[in-house]
Amino acid sequence: MSFQSLLNQSITISNKSGYDRYGKETTTGNTVVSARVEVKNQVKLLGNGETYVVNAIAFLPSTTTVNIDDKISYNGVDYKVLNKELVKQANGTTHHLELELRLWQN
């Protein structure tokens, strides 16, 4: 089974553009991308002893443009990108992206 065949879900990426006058994050643009999303509630531990919650993991093609703090919409739920990892192949090229997501706070 190829990696591409696993990307059988759609997400919408909205890029962070700034803040409104109330201090809430604003986004611009909507790009629909094939992805694989695994919804979960996982507590992660940082090296300094602090913790944070990951509500979902998304797997995307390596050519996808997405940044930390962007908004991801999947299955009627909005998430914020907390972490972005470029997963490498043995030859050093990027195979795919893996995103840690947290529920979007309005």
Side-chain angles (χ1 to χ4, degrees):
M1 182 179 293
S2 73
F3 177 74
Q4 291 295 2
S5 69
L6 297 174
L7 305 179
N8 58 0
Q9 300 163 323
S10 293
I11 63 169
T12 302
I13 300 172
S14 303
N15 303 108
K16 180 180 174 183
S17 60
Y19 297 91
D20 67 13
R21 63 184 179 149
Y22 303 106
K24 294 184 180 182
E25 292 179 280
T26 58
T27 59
T28 186
N30 291 322
T31 305
V32 177
V33 177
S34 294
R36 179 69 169 194
V37 179
E38 295 177 5
V39 177
K40 56 175 64 185
N41 285 309
Q42 180 181 22
V43 177
K44 304 275 287 225
L45 179 64
L46 297 173
N48 62 4
E50 292 182 27
T51 61
Y52 66 100
V53 175
V54 174
N55 300 111
I57 303 288
F59 303 90
L60 292 84
S62 62
T63 56
T64 307
T65 301
V66 62
N67 296 301
I68 292 174
D69 292 337
D70 284 352
K71 183 189 226 179
I72 304 290
S73 300
Y74 167 70
N75 205 23
V77 180
D78 294 332
Y79 298 93
K80 181 176 185 170
V81 178
L82 293 177
N83 190 29
K84 172 182 166 182
E85 180 181 350
L86 283 63
V87 179
K88 303 287 185 175
Q89 299 184 88
N91 65 6
T93 62
T94 302
H95 182 265
H96 67 274
L97 305 178
E98 188 172 318
L99 307 177
E100 290 182 334
L101 308 173
R102 177 181 67 202
L103 292 172
W104 186 265
Q105 303 295 315
N106 289 327

